[in-house]
Amino acid sequence: MATLTFLSFLILQLFLITNNCEGVEVGFYKKTCPNVEAIVKETTKHYISIAPTLAAPLLRMHFHDCFVRGCDGSVLLNSTKGNKAEKDAIPNQSLRGFQVIDAAKSALEKECPGIVSCSDILALAVRDAVSLINGPTWSVPLGRRDGRVSILSEASKNLPTPFDNFTTLKTTFGALGLNIKDLVVLSGGHTIGMSHCFSFSSRLYNFTGKGDIDPNMDQNYINRLKIKCKPGDVTTIVEMDPGSFKSFDTDYYTMVAKRRGLFASDAALLSNDQTKHYVLTQLNQHGSTFFKDFGESMVKMGQIGVLTGNAGEIRKHCAFRN
């Protein structure tokens, strides 16, 4: 009897593992919600047409979701009385664009209730937002389910930081199945968006704790940044890709090659032969492969730790568990 019980347990575990390994696929909702992509795109287009700068925080939101517990929409969950969620971690407090996801979810619940996950909506909205500001587009595999767990400390621990050196970046990305090419390609997302001064001010004023500057940053650029960012400034924001921060393009690699990448993590791309080669190749070829590469790496990142089959849930409201 005990043997049969144990055998039944093994069969059940095998069933659950199999169902959670179905993976994601393009066209997942073609029978259950055929208009899903059109609805998400229309919603995203509405918001981006009003505020194009939302594209960058939406892209960052997807990154931050996938790097903690996989792409399961855990970054969308609100904190509760008994639990502080990822959304409230310091790196996530500057995220914006949750209203885009909520609006798309509301529209989809009217069209096909209980079918499309919030994590899939986020993956689609990011693709559409990037495309709408002159960036690439790509086919998004779908079929993710939403996670039920979101813990502040995991976001604080697992997210890459703007202060990371190449070794740390390689380890962080590698632990999630992303290689060195993915690292340098996805870093190209810094071509859009803004950053607070405190994310890079140590490079301007106190790089090694001796009141010095970062020797890996262009001196003229440092002087320009010092005009905007004074010591201890925690409120001012600056463009991550000056003059081009609203348009998705290859200018980021031009800035990095000139030692004008804003973050220490940007400068780190010049400290490794493979990433440096990619930066210079995009520069010399006017970024001829970047758009294609970015789409491929986004698809790869979008499949980190996904919940499928019977795992997780399909949330009714993206900020709350069912």
Side-chain angles (χ1 to χ4, degrees), residues 190-233:
H190 289 171
T191 186
I192 53 175
M194 310 282 288
S195 172
H196 285 88
C197 293
F198 61 74
S199 295
F200 57 87
S201 59
S202 62
R203 304 187 73 198
L204 313 181
Y205 296 106
N206 196 28
F207 187 59
T208 64
K210 300 178 180 178
D212 54 342
I213 63 172
D214 184 349
N216 296 313
M217 183 179 258
D218 176 69
Q219 179 68 61
N220 291 329
Y221 192 40
I222 288 177
N223 294 338
R224 283 170 50 191
L225 289 171
K226 281 185 172 181
I227 294 173
K228 295 182 178 180
C229 298
K230 303 304 179 185
D233 187 338

Side-chain angles (χ1 to χ4, degrees), residues 17-71:
I17 292 171
T18 302
N19 273 273
N20 195 34
C21 292
E22 293 173 0
V24 291
E25 60 179 314
V26 174
F28 179 83
Y29 298 108
K30 61 186 177 183
K31 292 182 179 179
T32 55
C33 193
N35 295 324
V36 56
E37 296 205 29
I39 291 172
V40 173
K41 185 172 184 178
E42 190 61 32
T43 304
T44 306
K45 183 178 180 180
H46 168 74
Y47 283 93
I48 297 298
S49 66
I50 298 171
T53 56
L54 275 178
L58 279 170
L59 177 59
R60 188 161 165 254
M61 190 188 297
H62 190 35
F63 273 70
H64 285 208
D65 183 36
C66 293
F67 271 72
V68 182
R69 288 188 169 267
C71 311

Side-chain angles (χ1 to χ4, degrees), residues 175-190:
L176 298 173
L178 300 174
N179 60 31
I180 292 177
K181 182 179 180 181
D182 297 317
L183 191 168
V184 66
V185 169
L186 293 173
S187 294
H190 289 171

Side-chain angles (χ1 to χ4, degrees), residues 133-313:
I133 56 167
N134 303 317
T137 188
W138 56 91
S139 297
V140 179
L142 301 171
R144 300 168 188 79
R145 288 172 65 84
D146 299 319
R148 298 188 178 100
V149 178
S150 184
I151 302 171
L152 182 152
S153 61
E154 292 184 348
S156 301
K157 177 183 177 182
N158 296 322
L159 290 173
T161 80
F163 315 106
D164 289 345
N165 60 28
F166 179 79
T167 300
T168 301
L169 289 170
K170 180 182 176 182
T171 300
T172 302
F173 277 68
L176 298 173
L178 300 174
N179 60 31
I180 292 177
K181 182 179 180 181
D182 297 317
L183 191 168
V184 66
V185 169
L186 293 173
S187 294
H190 289 171
T191 186
I192 53 175
M194 310 282 288
S195 172
H196 285 88
C197 293
F198 61 74
S199 295
F200 57 87
S201 59
S202 62
R203 304 187 73 198
L204 313 181
Y205 296 106
N206 196 28
F207 187 59
T208 64
K210 300 178 180 178
D212 54 342
I213 63 172
D214 184 349
N216 296 313
M217 183 179 258
D218 176 69
Q219 179 68 61
N220 291 329
Y221 192 40
I222 288 177
N223 294 338
R224 283 170 50 191
L225 289 171
K226 281 185 172 181
I227 294 173
K228 295 182 178 180
C229 298
K230 303 304 179 185
D233 187 338
V234 296
T235 57
T236 303
I237 57 175
V238 300
E239 301 171 7
M240 288 163 59
D241 186 358
S244 179
F245 76 105
K246 291 183 182 180
S247 180
F248 199 98
D249 53 35
T250 60
D251 284 354
Y252 167 78
Y253 294 111
T254 301
M255 295 294 289
V256 171
K258 292 180 177 179
R259 298 191 304 129
R260 293 186 175 187
L262 198 58
F263 306 131
S265 59
D266 295 324
L269 299 181
L270 295 180
S271 68
N272 170 267
D273 289 342
Q274 186 175 339
T275 53
K276 182 178 181 179
H277 175 73
Y278 187 88
V279 169
L280 298 179
T281 299
Q282 299 313 303
L283 183 68
N284 295 336
Q285 296 180 358
H286 305 292
S288 61
T289 67
F290 173 53
F291 276 25
K292 175 178 176 290
D293 294 340
F294 190 80
E296 291 175 352
S297 288
M298 285 295 289
V299 168
K300 188 174 177 181
M301 184 191 77
Q303 298 186 54
I304 294 172
V306 295
L307 301 175
T308 58
N310 295 321
E313 64 185 13

